[in-house]
Amino acid sequence: MSDFEKIVRGNLVDADRVQHDGWLGIRDGRIVARGHGTPPSAGESVDARGCWVLPGIVDGQVHAGSQADQEGLGHASRAAAAGGITVMVDMPYDASGPVSHRARLDEKIAETERDCHVDVALYGTIDAEHGLDAIAGLIEGGVCAFKFSTFEAAPGRFPRIEEDDLLAAFTRIAPAGLACGVHNQMQELTRKNVQRLMAANDVGWDAFHRAHTPLIENLATALIYEIGAQSGARAHAVHVSTSRGFEIFKTYRNAGHAVSIETCVQYLMLNHEEHTAKFGALTKHYPPIRPKAEVDQLWTHIAAGNCTFVSSDHVSWGLERKRDPNVFKNASGGPGLETLLPAFWTGCETRGISPTVVAQLLARNPARHFLLDDRKGSLREGADADIVVLKPETYRFDPSRSLCAVQWSSFEGMEMTARVMATFCRGTQVFDEGGTTPTITHNPGYGKFLRPKAQSAAPSNQDRM
């Protein structure tokens, strides 16, 4: 009789070490043993020697439902599996209505368990219709965090929450120990700048960057952390693109407040002078893609351990939402589930940053942040057997091979140094790169909805790095 149902063999990359020629023993969807050298017998063996074997990626910022009839959780989970992502944490701002009350949350849980190939955790939010009193039901229903915005990106779907309401929401959420993530953008300054540029017909590819100054982002980042300090809640800035934002974060962290910070892979791998000049509105994100000098500064914070985690901020806008000659009329965001891991790995490798940092910022830390680390984010014994096999290989990213709902990318043509070869979710293979044809290898409905682990009290600084 075999010792294990499955053995995966390769160079194991944990958040704290790399174990060359290691192996993982899997039984009943969990890692039950690990070792070095020749493994014991198993019913099935995955020989990935010469490849990197990492914990399944936890993407902490996914927008699968922003555009009606475009993607949805199920289709997004296909791209996630192809990108080595075994947990999608989906944002609450769906075209069908925000996840601002228990009934809407329950609908989304049902969608997850009907359509998804990988596991899913969900954000909740608040809106004017359901108000603060809906927070308790969302917590009871199993959201892993809350998302708010200091800017109204879309009326109704993505509203601005004013500062006094933010404080009230943070205060109600604090006892549950869940993070309060906030889109960090000052609304009045943004609109003033945009109106000025549009009045001058200054609406070309570089105008969005000039309209959205670092001050607009940095002031909002400080506001978020100060509301966290006042309320005692875990305050989280969801997409920081400036070095100054990281310095503000460090000030609050060093003072002992429960704060965390996230950047997105596009702010680390794209720059204004090269990529926005080439791709125009395809690289339109909020915050904007910054100049190369700022990008280089962000990497110093990655290397210094100042970042909680890195995400994709994935959204599959159709190209019809990205081709208006007036940059301000195009949607912000783009597809990113399949580029998060290979792009971040490439960036770290290019800068001599250890592979362990990839496991920290794409797996362990986001699992901790969303209170999923009792089963996700590591290769330890007892954890879910969420595993990605990454092959050292130089190639240029081709979005025409994507399993996403759209086949365009602002990473098109970027040279990557590692390719996702296989993805396992709870021990079951859900993706096979397959050489010529990337393939989803398991049926929809395999994915599970993930509730956060219970907390006895709100942590003082849960996202320690």
Side-chain angles (χ1 to χ4, degrees):
M1 178 180 242
S2 300
D3 296 324
F4 306 105
E5 294 171 4
K6 185 176 293 180
I7 288 284
V8 178
R9 189 174 184 183
N11 298 322
L12 308 183
V13 181
D14 293 284
D16 55 358
R17 62 174 173 153
V18 175
Q19 184 179 21
H20 291 275
D21 193 20
W23 56 264
L24 302 170
I26 299 168
R27 187 185 303 120
D28 296 329
R30 293 185 177 271
I31 298 169
V32 295
R34 58 180 290 169
H36 175 266
T38 303
S41 62
E44 178 185 351
S45 294
V46 178
D47 189 348
R49 281 177 291 179
C51 294
W52 305 102
V53 176
L54 286 83
I57 303 310
V58 179
D59 189 347
Q61 191 172 174
V62 178
H63 297 263
S66 293
Q67 183 172 342
D69 304 318
Q70 177 68 26
E71 185 171 51
L73 285 169
H75 203 144
S77 74
R78 294 169 57 84
I85 294 163
T86 54
V87 177
M88 297 191 305
V89 185
D90 201 66
M91 287 292 178
Y93 301 120
D94 299 333
S96 57
V99 183
S100 58
H101 58 104
R102 178 65 181 271
R104 178 70 191 100
L105 173 63
D106 290 344
E107 289 174 1
K108 202 161 180 179
I109 293 170
E111 179 187 356
T112 293
E113 298 188 335
R114 181 189 69 229
D115 297 342
C116 286
H117 298 270
V118 301
D119 294 343
V120 175
L122 296 173
Y123 266 95
T125 190
I126 60 173
D127 63 8
E129 180 180 357
H130 298 93
L132 295 168
D133 288 341
I135 287 174
L138 292 169
I139 293 172
E140 182 183 6
V143 298
C144 67
F146 281 82
K147 171 74 178 292
F148 310 106
S149 180
T150 57
F151 180 84
E152 184 173 87
R157 182 179 72 84
F158 203 138
R160 162 171 159 72
I161 307 300
E162 295 186 357
E163 289 77 12
D164 55 345
D165 290 328
L166 277 179
L167 178 60
F170 276 41
T171 301
R172 292 196 185 203
I173 295 163
L178 301 181
C180 298
V182 186
H183 174 110
N184 45 335
Q185 179 179 3
M186 299 302 289
Q187 180 158 296
E188 292 77 12
L189 285 176
T190 299
R191 291 183 171 173
K192 184 177 181 180
N193 286 352
V194 171
Q195 289 167 3
R196 174 176 53 81
L197 291 172
M198 290 187 69
N201 199 32
D202 185 358
V203 296
W205 67 270
D206 63 336
F208 186 78
H209 169 262
R210 288 183 285 110
H212 295 79
T213 63
L215 183 64
I216 286 172
E217 179 184 337
N218 295 338
L219 286 175
T221 299
L223 183 152
I224 293 161
Y225 291 144
E226 187 58 27
I227 291 175
Q230 289 286 317
S231 64
R234 293 172 54 205
H236 178 70
V238 301
H239 37 44
V240 174
S241 68
T242 69
S243 179
R244 177 59 186 154
F246 278 87
E247 295 299 330
I248 294 168
F249 158 74
K250 287 166 57 182
T251 297
Y252 282 86
R253 180 190 65 182
N254 294 344
H257 297 293
V259 293
S260 51
I261 191 166
E262 172 185 353
T263 193
C264 305
V265 70
Q266 56 267 25
Y267 303 122
L268 298 168
M269 297 302 292
L270 306 179
N271 66 71
H272 179 71
E273 299 94 330
E274 178 183 354
H275 301 97
T276 304
K278 178 179 179 180
F279 291 112
L282 294 186
T283 67
K284 180 185 175 184
H285 292 263
Y286 188 81
I289 301 302
R290 301 293 184 187
K292 186 177 184 302
E294 191 71 60
V295 173
D296 291 341
Q297 286 296 309
L298 291 188
W299 277 105
T300 67
H301 291 288
I302 296 295
N306 294 329
C307 186
T308 309
F309 65 93
V310 176
S311 66
S312 73
D313 201 6
H314 165 90
V315 59
S316 284
W317 298 123
L319 281 173
E320 72 279 3
R321 303 286 297 271
K322 284 289 193 175
R323 285 179 165 163
D324 198 293
N326 181 337
V327 71
F328 297 111
K329 294 183 178 180
N330 292 290
S332 292
L337 289 164
E338 287 159 294
T339 47
L340 172 59
L341 171 56
F344 187 59
W345 180 280
T346 299
C348 287
E349 186 171 54
T350 301
R351 289 164 178 80
I353 297 173
S354 171
T356 59
V357 173
V358 179
Q360 290 167 20
L361 299 190
L362 299 190
R364 183 195 68 185
N365 289 7
R368 284 180 176 176
H369 179 83
F370 296 108
L371 306 182
L372 305 173
D373 56 309
D374 56 333
R375 71 221 101 132
K376 301 295 185 181
S378 77
L379 299 178
R380 64 174 175 79
E381 293 179 20
D384 283 356
D386 287 5
I387 298 164
V388 54
V389 176
L390 199 61
K391 181 181 179 181
E393 179 181 333
T394 299
Y395 64 100
R396 293 192 178 276
F397 182 71
D398 178 5
S400 71
R401 300 179 80 246
S402 172
L403 299 186
C404 181
V406 295
Q407 275 68 53
W408 67 267
S409 172
S410 54
F411 289 85
E412 181 176 357
M414 180 175 289
E415 187 172 275
M416 306 292 191
T417 62
R419 188 189 295 274
V420 175
M421 300 302 293
T423 305
F424 299 84
C425 182
R426 287 178 277 112
T428 295
Q429 187 168 3
V430 293
F431 172 75
D432 182 2
E433 203 283 330
T436 57
T437 307
T439 304
I440 297 298
T441 57
H442 209 276
N443 295 328
Y446 178 72
K448 289 184 177 180
F449 170 64
L450 302 175
R451 289 175 170 269
K453 65 184 182 183
Q455 293 289 286
S456 57
S460 61
N461 201 337
Q462 195 270 341
D463 294 302
R464 54 194 178 278
M465 295 167 284

